[in-house]
């Protein structure tokens, strides 16, 4: 179960939306620069894999940190790298407590991020292993970006250690004595980073 139907509102099946869940989905929130970078004449710009990973890590860190600081402890956050309209850029956030997820959905639906309205809803996904494409994880998915199972984009190892810690139950990202998270001084920010805050 992935909590998203490729037919959307036109689907003939009844998809029950949960009334409570630890997991929320922020629909189409992440914009992969490799999919959206265009020049003024409409042709695609080449964006290197290194630039894409840096852009993604900055996005992930910003969203994770802000959601955890405002709404509560995050157990897991995943971003879909699929191309299908019902999955592209979806951000799944599993909070430790259902109450935190419910409050996040209520408040985030009144917010904007990178110039677009945020669309948040509770998600039935609780076990991401069941929702992921195993073939993609092994580098063998023949359906590509239009697969109906989640293709989860990984964050860098350093960011994973920073946000989740080494142990299985790290409470929150590490903080300095001033109460702020330490930042790498030489990390470049993308030009649209300053517009991303919720």
């Amino acid at each position: 179960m992935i909590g998203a139907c490729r037919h959307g509102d036109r689907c003939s099946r009844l998809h029950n939306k949960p009334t409570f869940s630890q997991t929320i989905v922020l629909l189409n929130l992440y914009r992969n620069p490799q999919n959206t970078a265009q020049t003024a004449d409409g042709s695609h710009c080449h964006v290197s894999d290194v630039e894409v990973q840096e852009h993604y890590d900055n996005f992930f860190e910003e969203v994770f940190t802000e959601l955890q600081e405002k709404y509560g402890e995050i157990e897991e956050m995943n971003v879909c790298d699929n191309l299908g309209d019902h999955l592209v850029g979806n951000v799944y956030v599993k909070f430790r407590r259902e109450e935190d997820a419910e409050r996040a959905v209520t408040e985030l639906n009144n917010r904007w991020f990178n110039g677009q309205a945020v669309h948040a809803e509770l998600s039935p996904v609780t076990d991401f292993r069941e929702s992921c494409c195993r073939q993609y994880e092994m580098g063998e998915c023949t359906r590509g970006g239009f697969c109906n199972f989640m293709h989860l984009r990984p964050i860098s190892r350093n960011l994973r250690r920073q946000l989740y810690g080494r142990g299985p139950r790290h409470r929150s990202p590490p903080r300095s004595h001033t109460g702020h998270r330490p930042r790498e001084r030489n990390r470049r920010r993308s030009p649209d980073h300053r517009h991303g805050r919720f």
Side-chain angles (χ1 to χ4, degrees):
M1 174 173 16
I2 60 170
C5 176
R6 69 176 178 243
H7 302 294
D9 294 335
R10 299 181 318 267
C11 186
S12 61
R13 294 184 183 187
L14 177 62
H15 297 289
N16 292 321
K17 302 243 179 189
T19 54
F20 56 90
S21 176
Q22 288 176 264
T23 307
I24 69 171
V25 60
L26 306 172
L27 300 169
N28 311 119
L29 189 69
Y30 175 66
R31 305 276 187 208
N32 185 331
Q34 285 180 324
N35 300 338
T36 59
Q38 291 185 344
T39 62
D41 67 359
S43 62
H44 283 294
C45 295
H46 175 71
V47 182
S48 75
D49 290 342
V50 172
E51 291 171 315
V52 170
Q53 188 64 46
E54 184 177 299
H55 176 271
Y56 177 65
D57 281 354
N58 288 337
F59 166 85
F60 194 101
E61 180 182 13
E62 179 177 351
V63 172
F64 184 101
T65 303
E66 180 137 345
L67 294 179
Q68 183 156 273
E69 286 175 357
K70 287 187 176 178
Y71 304 112
E73 183 182 346
I74 293 174
E75 288 187 356
E76 190 173 357
M77 183 169 120
N78 291 294
V79 178
C80 287
D81 207 21
N82 302 62
L83 296 174
D85 290 343
H86 64 299
L87 289 174
V88 66
N90 285 359
V91 177
Y92 290 84
V93 183
K94 183 177 180 183
F95 288 93
R96 190 169 74 70
R97 299 173 0 140
E98 289 176 354
E99 300 81 20
D100 296 338
E102 185 176 346
R103 188 165 60 90
V105 166
T106 301
E107 293 181 18
L108 288 170
N109 277 317
N110 296 316
R111 307 288 296 275
W112 289 75
F113 184 82
N114 278 348
Q116 65 183 24
V118 174
H119 298 287
E121 57 188 50
L122 294 173
S123 171
V125 177
T126 55
D127 185 351
F128 290 96
R129 291 171 305 196
E130 294 297 318
S131 303
C132 292
C133 176
R134 286 175 182 68
Q135 293 170 335
Y136 174 76
E137 291 172 351
M138 296 169 27
E140 301 172 357
C141 182
T142 58
R143 294 176 295 274
F146 293 98
C147 180
N148 282 316
F149 286 95
M150 292 180 186
H151 289 189
L152 298 181
R153 183 166 189 82
I155 57 175
S156 65
R157 275 195 191 116
N158 288 340
L159 183 57
R160 179 164 298 285
R161 255 193 305 272
Q162 178 185 331
L163 296 178
Y164 292 107
R166 292 180 189 219
R169 299 298 273 163
H170 187 67
R171 290 259 176 225
S172 63
R175 299 193 180 278
S176 69
H177 68 280
T178 62
H180 292 42
R181 286 177 302 102
R183 289 208 186 270
E184 295 175 28
R185 292 200 188 280
N186 60 359
R187 180 183 283 181
R188 272 188 18 235
R189 297 287 182 180
S190 61
D192 60 346
H193 170 76
R194 63 184 166 273
H195 304 294
R197 300 301 278 178
F198 283 103

